[in-house]
Amino acid sequence: MCGIVAYIGHREAYPILIKGLKRLEYRGYDSAGIALLNGNLNIYKKQGKVSELEENVKGKDISGSLGMGHTRWATHGEPNDVNSHPHISQSGEIAIIHNGIIENYATLKEALLDRGHTFSSDTDTEILAHLIEDIKQNTHSTLEEAVRLALHEVIGAYAIVIVSKNDPTKLIGARKGSPLVVGIGDGEFFMASDATPIIEYTKNVSYLNDGEIAYIKDGTLTVKTINNVEKVPYIQTLEMNLESIEKGGYKHFMLKEIHEQPKSIYDSLRGRFDPVTATFAMRSLKEYEGKIKNLNRIIIVGCGTSWHAGLVGEYLFEDIARIPVEVEYASEFRYRNPVVNEDDLVIAISQSGETADTLAAIELAKEKGATIFGLCNVVGSSIPRASHAGAYTHAGPEIGVASTKAFTAQVAVLTLWALGFAELRGKTTKQHLREAFSQLEAITEKVERTLHCESKVIEIAKVFKNSRNFLYLGRGYGFPVALEGALKLKEISYIHAEGYPAAEMKHGPIALIDEEMPVVVIATKGNIYEKVISNIQEVKARKGKIIAIVTEGDTKVAGMADYTIEIPETIDYLEPLVATIPLQLLSYHIAVMRGCNVDQPRNLAKSVTVE
């Protein structure tokens, strides 16, 4: 959740750190700070945006070729200047930045207080800085050894970076449960919570594994475990480019990413099926063919938008492949003693590949013998590495906190898996696969056409921008779309919104309907079209305002709804890929009209790396 960037090399560190912190703003944060080493250890930190930190350091000493920066999303202690990172040790020698939660910080703090330490903040992070120094002094250890010994005493999750004014050629980083990447340049090194702050300077990176510590000293990178076993760093080349993390002429990253969906869906499908031979080219299907044929059930775990994609996956796997599916909130999965067996497949969905709750769910499922498929967007992230197999979505970097293109890319890959599982289990034919692949080949053009509804959406947004509540209704494949549409509106416009199965409305939510209540209905033509029309009539009878997502050329719903948005006709199980688009645009334009920070909604973080 918090953002980390650090540098050691031949350049001035400050410009790299500030630019890096701005690139990390998408993760969500409430304060920012930097530490610079130039003989002195200069620390500057400020509640608020990175721009406020920039103002705060004007006229101050910002020299130095070793430094680190941090954006904080508050966990322990309220957002303020004092609780901002970096934090320093008792003597002021050691500075630390930290992403994660030290669960036993209270016990550690009590022991340090007994030994005469005093603390200035309410954070768990400051305790770790003091602990490292305490060990260093009392055991006469090197800084490297003190860090390693201190981490043995820590319970919780962390990605940390440490500098010491007494060791001006050293930069130390470590991770457990929170991501940390090391960038390797020409005579310089970088550390960051993800690759976005360093892509401008190098494409050669090494992702630390849990329990690993990176030591950079005198221009050399060494990686060891916390048990002091040296590891050979695995260096890989980043696939992203600088243009992909810039706005490219769009006002916001979210709008850019909405419009990128024809390409992100295409890239997520490209090369994974052959429409002529009706065959698949997915390693997960080939390597786990026997497992898939003998599955008892599928358990899908995810959080937020990824959970909604999982709900679409439930419909897909049960409808197409005839496999029982359960969709679980990853945040609840590990705490309710779930029944998981060796003949179960767990599909873990996460845009970032670093979601802490989803990682914890994976570990629990693995302990119980289940096979894990990961579905993620970030190459080299923790969930793919923890999974037995899986697939990347190839959506490209998603900077907007509210997920858009990642959702449709996840649904696209889940669709392929459902079709592939169906073939392996004898639940489909080559003819059906050819028809399905033909529809998949056409889907990107249909998404492109759907984006042309934006002008109509803007007119609707003007009418409802000051609404206090929204209802979203859908049936079948439209139900997860309704949930996702409601979530998008809540996330970025701060309007209360709820998604329901349309038939459930009369079991409670219908009490909310009046002339002030806008109701968004997924009302496309399909097997349950007439049922949805009945639900629309129920709303209209109570004077609710209907905004209907309809199939091109529909006149029946158009005659009842107050507003309609047309989308191209497609088969039922591909409907989420097109029906989601106008709901994303509606949320975006309402939020812009309300003056909300679309890319960085309040209280939210892009990658939730703490529980």
Side-chain angles (χ1 to χ4, degrees):
M1 299 175 76
C2 308
I4 287 173
V5 59
Y7 175 79
I8 184 169
H10 49 80
R11 314 186 204 206
E12 285 293 301
Y14 176 77
I16 295 170
L17 301 180
I18 286 294
K19 185 180 286 187
L21 292 180
K22 289 179 178 178
R23 293 252 169 84
L24 289 167
E25 286 186 298
Y26 79 96
R27 295 173 69 93
Y29 70 107
D30 46 57
S31 58
I34 57 171
L36 294 161
L37 199 58
N38 60 4
N40 295 315
L41 178 58
N42 295 315
I43 292 177
Y44 310 108
K45 49 188 185 175
K46 188 72 177 172
Q47 180 186 356
K49 297 297 183 183
V50 176
S51 58
E52 295 175 69
L53 174 64
E54 283 186 285
E55 285 295 315
N56 187 54
V57 303
K58 283 184 176 178
K60 298 177 181 176
D61 184 1
I62 54 172
S63 62
S65 58
L66 169 59
M68 58 188 186
H70 188 267
T71 53
R72 176 180 186 250
W73 189 88
T75 53
H76 294 78
E78 67 181 59
N80 58 32
D81 292 355
V82 173
N83 288 332
S84 304
H85 296 211
H87 289 285
I88 59 172
S89 60
Q90 178 83 359
S91 70
E93 174 200 340
I94 295 168
I96 186 171
I97 54 179
H98 167 222
N99 180 12
I101 292 178
I102 307 301
E103 295 177 6
N104 62 332
Y105 82 98
T107 302
L108 296 172
K109 184 176 184 177
E110 185 176 347
L112 289 165
L113 285 169
D114 289 344
R115 294 201 287 272
H117 287 254
T118 58
F119 300 93
S120 59
S121 78
D122 302 315
T123 69
D124 54 338
T125 304
E126 186 183 7
I127 279 77
L128 186 51
H130 283 245
L131 178 63
I132 291 168
E133 181 174 83
D134 188 78
I135 290 173
K136 184 173 182 287
Q137 291 175 344
N138 290 324
T139 63
H140 305 289
S141 300
T142 63
L143 178 62
E144 295 94 324
E145 183 67 4
V147 169
R148 189 179 71 80
L149 293 173
L151 293 180
H152 271 286
E153 298 188 28
V154 166
I155 299 171
Y158 55 80
I160 57 172
V161 179
I162 297 156
V163 298
S164 168
K165 68 178 180 181
N166 293 341
D167 292 287
T169 64
K170 292 179 184 176
L171 183 66
I172 299 175
R175 73 153 285 177
K176 179 186 177 184
S178 290
L180 192 66
V181 58
V182 180
I184 300 101
D186 185 8
E188 58 187 353
F189 293 87
F190 308 80
M191 291 185 184
S193 45
D194 65 50
T196 54
I198 64 178
I199 186 62
E200 183 175 345
Y201 309 102
T202 182
K203 287 196 171 186
N204 297 319
V205 299
S206 178
Y207 290 89
L208 293 186
N209 294 310
D210 273 358
E212 289 185 346
I213 308 170
Y215 306 100
I216 298 169
K217 180 181 178 182
D218 298 325
T220 300
L221 168 65
T222 303
V223 176
K224 294 183 178 181
T225 69
I226 62 171
N227 293 320
N228 209 30
V229 177
E230 188 164 346
K231 309 290 285 188
V232 177
Y234 172 64
I235 311 298
Q236 61 187 85
T237 302
L238 289 172
E239 293 183 359
M240 73 171 68
N241 53 54
L242 187 59
E243 290 75 20
S244 67
I245 60 171
E246 302 290 351
K247 290 180 183 175
Y250 287 92
K251 186 176 180 180
H252 297 98
F253 281 111
M254 183 179 178
L255 185 60
K256 177 193 177 195
E257 288 156 8
I258 290 171
H259 281 268
E260 286 177 338
Q261 286 175 107
K263 182 179 187 300
S264 58
I265 293 170
Y266 173 79
D267 287 345
S268 296
L269 296 172
R270 178 166 51 95
R272 287 177 162 162
F273 65 91
D274 186 330
V276 177
T277 60
T279 55
F280 295 88
M282 298 183 76
R283 194 171 70 178
S284 53
L285 297 179
K286 183 177 180 180
E287 293 183 356
Y288 284 82
E289 177 179 345
K291 178 76 178 183
I292 292 166
K293 285 180 176 178
N294 295 292
L295 279 180
N296 176 52
R297 64 173 173 165
I298 296 171
I299 303 169
I300 301 177
V301 294
C303 300
T305 287
S306 293
W307 186 79
H308 293 157
L311 283 181
V312 179
E314 178 180 24
Y315 282 80
L316 289 164
F317 284 109
E318 293 193 343
D319 182 15
I320 300 171
R322 309 305 299 152
I323 305 172
V325 179
E326 295 179 19
V327 184
E328 301 272 2
Y329 286 109
S331 54
E332 287 295 312
F333 184 73
R334 69 183 295 210
Y335 293 111
R336 64 170 190 80
N337 193 22
V339 178
V340 182
N341 298 305
E342 292 182 1
D343 52 0
D344 292 334
L345 172 69
V346 173
I347 298 178
I349 307 176
S350 166
Q351 187 282 137
S352 67
E354 300 292 351
T355 309
D357 289 317
T358 308
L359 277 165
I362 286 174
E363 292 308 316
L364 176 61
K366 286 172 76 174
E367 288 172 8
K368 294 177 179 290
T371 300
I372 314 296
F373 277 16
L375 179 55
C376 303
N377 191 42
V378 180
V379 175
S381 55
S382 296
I383 288 175
R385 287 187 286 165
S387 301
H388 296 106
Y392 288 111
T393 51
H394 301 303
E398 188 177 64
I399 306 300
V401 167
S403 183
T404 52
K405 64 178 181 175
F407 173 76
T408 49
Q410 288 165 353
V411 170
V413 175
L414 288 168
T415 305
L416 275 185
W417 266 341
L419 290 165
F421 282 32
E423 182 187 42
L424 290 174
R425 294 168 68 93
K427 301 299 182 182
T428 189
T429 64
K430 285 293 184 183
Q431 180 57 33
H432 177 262
L433 284 177
R434 287 189 180 93
E435 292 169 359
F437 290 161
S438 176
Q439 292 281 346
L440 282 169
E441 285 192 305
I443 200 66
T444 54
E445 183 272 334
K446 291 179 179 181
V447 172
E448 187 71 59
R449 278 165 51 200
T450 304
L451 288 165
H452 296 163
C453 75
E454 187 163 10
S455 59
K456 181 70 174 288
V457 170
I458 290 171
E459 293 306 310
I460 296 172
K462 289 176 182 176
V463 176
F464 294 105
K465 65 181 180 181
N466 294 318
S467 297
R468 296 173 62 86
N469 300 282
F470 267 74
L471 279 179
Y472 286 72
L473 304 177
R475 301 186 77 150
Y477 286 99
F479 168 49
V481 173
L483 289 174
E484 177 61 12
L487 177 62
K488 285 289 134 329
L489 191 69
K490 284 184 280 195
E491 284 180 312
I492 63 172
S493 73
Y494 317 139
I495 295 173
H496 174 254
E498 296 295 337
Y500 281 93
E504 284 296 304
M505 182 183 59
K506 56 182 170 289
H507 296 285
I510 199 166
L512 299 171
I513 303 295
D514 60 21
E515 60 273 12
E516 300 296 322
M517 175 67 79
V519 181
V520 180
V521 185
I522 315 302
T524 51
K525 289 183 178 177
N527 295 332
I528 48 180
Y529 178 66
E530 296 298 332
K531 297 289 186 183
V532 175
I533 287 177
S534 297
N535 299 134
I536 291 173
Q537 290 170 333
E538 291 167 351
V539 174
K540 291 302 294 180
R542 290 154 181 84
K543 300 182 180 180
K545 301 297 183 184
I546 296 288
I547 305 166
I549 310 300
V550 301
T551 304
E552 284 177 338
D554 183 292
T555 56
K556 197 168 184 179
V557 173
M560 293 183 287
D562 298 277
Y563 305 91
T564 59
I565 303 170
E566 292 190 346
I567 62 174
E569 185 173 4
T570 189
I571 54 179
D572 283 2
Y573 60 78
L574 295 184
E575 180 185 289
L577 295 173
V578 288
T580 302
I581 307 299
L583 304 187
Q584 295 172 346
L585 288 168
L586 181 64
S587 300
Y588 170 80
H589 287 290
I590 286 177
V592 169
M593 291 175 190
R594 289 167 65 88
C596 301
N597 188 336
V598 173
D599 286 335
Q600 299 165 38
R602 68 188 182 203
N603 301 331
L604 294 180
K606 182 64 177 175
S607 179
V608 184
T609 56
V610 297
E611 292 185 53

